[in-house]
Amino acid sequence: MSTATTLPIQLKGATVQRKGKVIVGPIDLSVEGRGITMVIGPNGAGKTSILRMLHGLDALSEGSLHWQGGAKRVRKKQGYVFQTPVLLRRNVLENLVYPLKLRGMARVKATKHAMDALAHVGLNTFAQHAARTLSGGERQKLALARALIMEPELLLLDEPCASLDGNATKAIEAILISARKTGTRILMTTHDMGQARRLADDVLFIVKGKIHEAGTAETFFAAPETPEARAFLNGDILP
Amino acid sequence: MSEIIEAIFEALRLVLSLDADLIEISLRSLKITLSAVVIASVIGLPMGAWLAVYNFRGRRSFIVVLNALMGLPPVVVGLFVYLVFSRTGPLGVLGLLFTPTVMILAQVFILVPLIASIAHQVMRDLWREYADLLSSLDASLWQKIGTLLRDGRHGLLTASLAGFGRGIGEVGAIMIVGGNIDHATRVLTTAITLETSRGHFALALGLGLVLVGLSLLVNILVHLVAHIREVEE
């Protein structure tokens, strides 16, 4: 994998509109450094749109987005895990071999690499099973393994533990902590404040498409600055 | 009613006696149609996937035209191919008129829009599921098309089988370009037309039953192979 970086990513006045309606923005943001940033906020705040924008899946309507080294390198240096895991209609092993082969890796090497990755997430015994027969937690683990197998410098996760039970959530969190240790920068959205407290180094608090607070998790959870953040942490419904 | 019963007996007699003419005509029908289906699938299936993935100006109009061409009258295709390959036509020098080759070509013209159109519908549904993932994994246009063709192959089989169904029963175009020449270009459908015009209704119906049987057999075999592979995966 290339050692060239796409970080920092800088957004200035970045706005995404759909059918004339502003979904996100304008926002200014710089993604750099290390650790896990939790993107939190009420439903429909624009959390997913921010992740998609950073990954280049949603185009900006206004403002600018600058990836270090240019846009061409972005997808090669980033991994993305969707809220509902999208798995190829193939077996578990082939789901991991696929991205490696896209990058031109020889099949034998890719298969060995994929088996190692499956062992890392505890799915090696399912290698020959059809991916569609996995449980929800296993599917999400496979999607995460597929994103991590490319050794991304930035991993974007859209509520990876939504609708998973406690054990599956714990397993996913263990994989994320392991990825953080190896230097992967992680941005993820969540509705689970317990998970945010467990994993977050930093927090981005989003309301109505705008960043209301950005800072360390410790400060945010101990002394939120805005009334919206306080209300959100108290479990109040924001208008 | 008696003619129908007589036809069933005639069909059985033809099949059980392994009538040499029947086998020759049936094999020629299969060879021409299967060749046309393979060629049309090689063109039509990637075209369907390309249309699902690649957004270009005029794509919607292209799809509308493609869908309209599904109903292309075979006799018109036959006439067009005849004029192109007739002695005074632009490709007359090739001397292909009234040969199985030109019959295959005429069928390819008829089948490509049908196969591409059905393939596009199958691929469009799969693309909705895969679009974000494949973009996220930075797949190129041709890698996306290849992935859709591979993962959607069971659905695409339906497109090719629809092509086979249309091709094996086609009579207008291949009658014009093939000429229904005995031991050369006569196929089941043109033989049925000939026997009907001669008033040999039982033989015509018998040939018709053989045609239906062949069509069913190919469909069943293909589905069986596809099912076994699906279970293995």
Side-chain angles (χ1 to χ4, degrees), chain A residues 184-200:
Chain A
T184 307
R185 181 77 172 91
I186 296 172
L187 243 83
M188 71 182 265
T189 65
T190 186
H191 271 108
D192 179 350
M193 286 306 104
Q195 182 175 61
R197 286 173 197 271
R198 285 193 298 276
L199 295 180

Side-chain angles (χ1 to χ4, degrees), chain A residues 99-164:
Chain A
L100 297 172
K101 287 205 73 199
L102 280 185
R103 305 280 168 89
M105 192 180 280
R107 171 160 281 280
V108 175
K109 192 177 172 190
T111 304
K112 188 188 173 307
H113 204 44
M115 282 306 294
D116 291 345
L118 283 178
H120 180 62
V121 297
L123 288 176
N124 44 330
T125 54
F126 296 98
Q128 299 304 326
H129 291 213
R132 63 178 182 273
T133 62
L134 296 179
S135 69
E138 289 160 351
R139 290 167 73 93
Q140 199 56 281
K141 269 197 218 174
L142 180 58
L144 187 51
R146 188 177 54 204
L148 285 170
I149 202 167
M150 303 311 297
E151 299 171 15
E153 68 173 357
L154 175 63
L155 180 62
L156 302 160
L157 303 113
D158 189 7
E159 300 206 33
C161 301
S163 73
L164 297 188

Side-chain angles (χ1 to χ4, degrees), chain A residues 52 55 57 75-76 80 82 86-90 98-99 102-103 130 146, chain B residues 126 129-130 132-139 143 147 150-152 230 233:
Chain A
R52 290 178 64 88
H55 196 47
L57 286 176
R75 304 264 172 77
K76 288 184 169 57
Y80 196 108
F82 299 92
V86 184
L87 300 178
L88 298 170
R89 296 178 186 178
R90 305 180 184 195
Y98 179 79
L102 280 185
R103 305 280 168 89
R146 188 177 54 204
Chain B
L126 188 57
E129 187 182 326
Y130 278 14
D132 276 347
L133 174 69
L134 298 190
S135 297
S136 169
L137 293 175
D138 201 33
Q143 285 171 329
T147 304
R150 188 219 182 266
D151 289 12
E230 202 171 2
E233 285 168 4

Side-chain angles (χ1 to χ4, degrees), chain A residues 205 211-216 218-231 233:
Chain A
F205 177 61
I211 298 172
H212 270 236
E213 285 195 39
T216 65
E218 203 177 0
T219 308
F220 177 78
F221 289 115
E225 288 173 9
T226 59
E228 289 88 350
R230 281 194 290 275
L233 289 176

Side-chain angles (χ1 to χ4, degrees), chain A residues 26-43:
Chain A
I27 58 172
D28 297 330
L29 175 69
S30 179
V31 179
E32 54 193 309
R34 299 168 71 89
I36 298 178
T37 299
M38 284 289 175
V39 184
I40 58 177
N43 276 337

Side-chain angles (χ1 to χ4, degrees), chain B residues 31-40 43 72 74 76-86 90-92 94-113 167 170 173-174 177-178:
Chain B
K31 188 179 155 191
I32 288 171
T33 303
L34 286 175
S35 304
V37 168
V38 168
I39 296 167
I43 299 166
L72 200 62
V76 176
V77 174
L79 183 61
F80 173 76
V81 175
Y82 181 93
L83 291 173
V84 170
F85 285 93
S86 66
L91 296 177
L94 297 174
L96 289 175
L97 201 61
F98 306 129
T99 65
T101 305
V102 84
M103 293 162 78
I104 292 170
L105 192 69
Q107 287 212 343
V108 167
F109 275 113
I110 295 165
L111 299 186
V112 165
E170 206 286 311
I174 56 171
V177 300

Side-chain angles (χ1 to χ4, degrees), chain A residues 20-81:
Chain A
K21 189 186 168 199
V22 174
I23 306 295
V24 168
I27 58 172
D28 297 330
L29 175 69
S30 179
V31 179
E32 54 193 309
R34 299 168 71 89
I36 298 178
T37 299
M38 284 289 175
V39 184
I40 58 177
N43 276 337
K47 304 185 292 292
T48 299
S49 294
I50 289 178
L51 259 56
R52 290 178 64 88
M53 189 164 61
L54 288 169
H55 196 47
L57 286 176
D58 284 348
L60 298 191
S61 315
E62 287 171 37
S64 68
L65 195 164
H66 176 75
W67 292 283
Q68 180 70 32
K72 276 193 169 180
R73 205 186 291 156
V74 173
R75 304 264 172 77
K76 288 184 169 57
K77 300 298 289 181
Q78 294 184 359
Y80 196 108
V81 177

